[in-house]
Each structure stands twice: as C-alpha cells, then as structure tokens.
Amino acid sequence: MTEFASEPTWTLAELEGEGARHVTDAIWAYIQGGAGEEHTLRENAAAFDQWSLSPRVLVDVREIDLRTELLGRQVAVPFFVAPMAYQGQVHPDGELALARAVGPENVLATYSTLSSCSLEDIAKASGGAPRWFQLYLQPDFEVSRSLIERAERAGFDAIVLTADVPVLGVRDRQARGGFAIDASVPLGNGRDVVPPPRVPLAQGPVFRLRSEAGVSWEILGAIRSITRLPVIVKGILSVEDAQRAAREGAAGLLLSNHGGRQLDRSVSPLSVLPEIRKAVPETLEVYLDGGVRRASDVLIALALGAHAVGIGRPFLWALAADGAAGVRRYLRLLSEELATALAISGRRNLDEVDRNLLRESRP
Ligand SMILES: Cc1cc2nc3c(=O)[nH]c(=O)nc-3n(C[C@H](O)[C@H](O)[C@H](O)COP(=O)(O)O)c2cc1C
C-alpha cells in the first residue's frame, strides 16, 4: 500500500474552525474580536490586497533558506508569535504549550505580562529558544522594574513595551460575547500584576486613571536605565512616533494597532510601513503585526522593509485546537507555505526579498 501523507494537515480555515470548536463562545469572542465596528480589524487584512507578487522563473531554488537575524540572534523563520494574554483560558497548558512547540524549532515568541504562566516557567519550557517579554507598564513602576529584572534573569532577549494601551479599547464583540477573566486561571507573573485600565466613566467627566495612562516618552529612558536588554516599542503607527522612539534609544519598532483591538478606524500597520521604514535609521529593526495570515502576507511585509512579522490569532486557534501539537502543526503549515512561496517567487532566501517582488494591485 502506498503511503502518502503520514499525518493529516490543516488548512488555515480548518485550523480556525478547530480552534472555535474547542473554546466557549465568550472566549472565542475575546480572541477574534476587535474594537468598535471592527473596521480596523478588517482593514489589517485588506491592506495586503493592495499588493501582488511578481515572481521570477527559471531560478535554481533547490536550497531555500528561511533563516534571519533579529537583534543579532538567529531565528528559523521571519515571523514570530505576537504577545497574547491569558493563554491558560485557551488551553490548560497555556503559554507553556506554545513555548514547548516553538522553542525546539528556534522560532521566536513574545510572552505577555498577562501570561497565565510565570515568565520563569515559560523560559524553562522554551529551552534556549529566542523569546521576548512584553511589558504592560504597571501603576507602580517598582512592579514594572521587577518584571523587567525577572525577564532579564530568565534569559529573555528583549523587552517589548506595549505603548498603544494607555486605556483598554472599546471591544464590542468581546462585551457582547460576555467574556470575563476566569479567576481559576491566575496571572502567572504574580498578584501585583494588573491589566491595563478602562476609562472609568462612572467617575464622571474628570477621568481618574491609573498612572500608566499618564506616562510619556521619558519612560523609555527609565526602562533602558534598569536593563541591558534591547527595548522594542509596540504600537507605533506614525512617522513622528517612530522617529521619537529612535531618538529615545529603542532597538526596534513593532508597527501595530493591537490587531484592531484598540482604536477602530486607526490605520493598518502595512499601510504605514514604507514611510516609517524610510524615516528611521536603517540600523533600527522594524517589525509589523496585524492581519498576517498566509505566506504571501509575510513576503509582502518583508518586501516593504519589515525585518520580521508578528502573528497573533492563528497561534491561539492552534493552541485551542490541540495545545503544543496544534501549534507545531500550524508552524509546519506556515513554514512550508513560506518556503514554497519563496521558491515559486524565484527567491532562495530573505535577502532576495525586496521591493522588486511587488506590484501595486490597486494603485
Ligand atoms: C486574544 C489576544 C490577546 C492579546 N493580548 C496582548 C497582550 O497581552 N499584549 C500585547 O501587547 N498585545 C496583545 N495582543 C495584540 C497582539 O500582540 C497583536 O498585536 C495582534 O494580535 C496582531 O494581530 P493578528 O491577531 O491579526 O495577527 C493580543 C491579541 C489578541 C488577539
């Protein structure tokens, strides 16, 4: 008997369906939802439609190399897992399942301040693999300081300061879905850690917000003074902020609108990538997340100048569907698709991916 595929593979659509079947409707609304009417959520994906790939033929593509370097560290692929909170609500093994799946493949993952597992346990589960720690500033800077110091001790490679959540966005789908934090899944990084604030309307027109809503650019210097780790600013969407982050000593910029979860009608990261890439020093690494789903999306972002791209929701679909095994299958799916797309584009490695690969499909 001839054996064809040894293991069934998922298509991306099947993976999404599997993920949905394994969590409650409320958790699914939390994962999938965006802010307001979800214009930005849709726009993140639609922005990729503006571009088409222009392949070259009759190129020797027997050897395909997907490796790249991020902040001086080699990684297997030019995509990474974006930080996503509360993974223990998606699968009982939470972030540990993610770390066990991506670690051995040398794929970079970013872990949220609001992880369900502690950053020390995540570090152990990742083995020696590259990992970044995402920081939500805490009302008490001493709590932020302690998180940063713990991340450095635990061997994280960078701090990703999320700057686009001075307050939590208005998330209709999540609210309608009735999502609530399950108290039986504790925050892994300790009881002192708190999520970003909401605007407390009940207090009347004078907002009394927690202090992290009041920080400004000086915070970058304060963070850099207490850690040797490079600091990446996540949530940049304008040239002005990109240049300011560069001046304040950021090592990288993650262009992001939080997966359309913060400000509805905000611009898509892909649409601002070319102007931001041009406006900051070449030594500054620029990444992007939001709406990246297929290998073609990865190629488009790289061709427009991104060093790497973050991917969010699909990793949660995979985690929900089958824990670490699910994440491994998704990783394989996307990596193989990327190698295939690169080969058919007539490119052998990421150095060969540049603006020549693209044509505007709706100028
Ligand atoms: C369920 C969920 C939780 C998230 N939690 C965080 C978080 O804790 N910190 C953070 O900086 N971004 C968080 N994000 C935003 C992601 O890091 C990323 O910006 C976004 O998901 C990318 O868009 P994509 O899902 O379309 O790939 C979260 C996103 C989702 C979907």
Side-chain angles (χ1 to χ4, degrees), residues 10 15-25 27-28 89-92 316-323:
W10 285 316
L15 174 68
E16 186 171 7
E18 273 301 298
R21 278 195 328 108
H22 281 82
V23 295
T24 63
D25 290 349
I27 290 178
W28 193 243
Q89 311 219 17
V90 177
H91 186 276
L316 292 186
W317 306 341
L319 185 67
D322 200 10

Side-chain angles (χ1 to χ4, degrees), residues 260-331:
R261 297 163 80 81
Q262 279 297 95
L263 178 64
D264 203 18
R265 295 285 192 198
S266 61
V267 291
S268 72
L270 192 76
S271 67
V272 294
L273 171 63
E275 58 192 278
I276 290 181
R277 180 60 281 180
K278 236 185 280 155
V280 294
E282 267 186 33
T283 47
L284 191 64
E285 297 195 355
V286 176
Y287 325 106
L288 159 160
D289 73 23
V292 178
R293 294 293 176 267
R294 308 291 304 221
S296 50
D297 304 331
V298 178
L299 287 182
I300 290 167
L302 296 187
L304 287 174
H307 275 74
V309 295
I311 298 180
R313 293 175 180 88
F315 277 99
L316 292 186
W317 306 341
L319 185 67
D322 200 10
V327 175
R328 270 192 291 271
R329 279 170 68 179
Y330 174 55
L331 250 193

Side-chain angles (χ1 to χ4, degrees), residues 61-116:
V61 289
R62 284 172 296 177
E63 302 268 328
I64 295 291
D65 188 354
L66 297 179
R67 287 171 303 173
T68 191
E69 262 193 24
L70 299 179
L71 299 176
R73 213 175 152 183
Q74 196 181 77
V75 289
V77 287
F79 57 82
F80 59 88
V81 187
M84 288 175 291
Y86 309 126
Q87 292 178 20
Q89 311 219 17
V90 177
H91 186 276
D93 297 340
E95 291 80 8
L96 299 188
L98 179 68
R100 286 182 195 128
V102 301
E105 305 300 327
N106 203 34
V107 170
L108 170 69
T110 312
Y111 296 94
S112 172
T113 293
L114 304 176
S115 289
S116 309

Side-chain angles (χ1 to χ4, degrees), residues 1-5:
M1 207 170 74
T2 317
E3 269 189 319
F4 292 106

Side-chain angles (χ1 to χ4, degrees), residues 196-261:
R198 293 171 190 278
V199 169
L201 275 183
Q203 293 177 11
V206 182
F207 300 146
R208 268 183 281 134
L209 286 171
R210 292 202 328 242
S211 52
E212 69 269 38
V215 293
S216 53
W217 283 102
E218 290 72 45
I219 195 70
L220 223 61
I223 292 173
R224 290 183 62 228
S225 73
I226 59 167
T227 180
R228 280 172 295 135
L229 295 180
V231 181
I232 296 158
V233 183
K234 177 173 187 274
I236 299 277
L237 289 171
S238 69
V239 164
E240 292 78 4
D241 281 348
Q243 291 176 327
R244 181 71 193 260
R247 284 202 301 280
E248 299 289 343
L253 308 178
L254 176 41
L255 313 188
S256 174
N257 55 31
H258 219 96
R261 297 163 80 81

Side-chain angles (χ1 to χ4, degrees), residues 139-187:
D140 177 353
F141 187 71
E142 288 311 305
V143 179
S144 301
R145 178 203 294 274
S146 144
L147 287 167
I148 293 165
E149 289 173 353
R150 284 170 58 193
E152 187 167 340
R153 270 200 305 275
F156 282 75
D157 298 289
I159 301 295
V160 177
L161 172 68
T162 294
D164 60 0
V165 192
V167 297
L168 208 64
V170 175
R171 300 181 185 171
D172 288 12
R173 196 189 323 190
Q174 188 174 308
R176 282 186 211 116
F179 174 75
I181 305 300
D182 179 350
S184 69
V185 183
L187 282 174

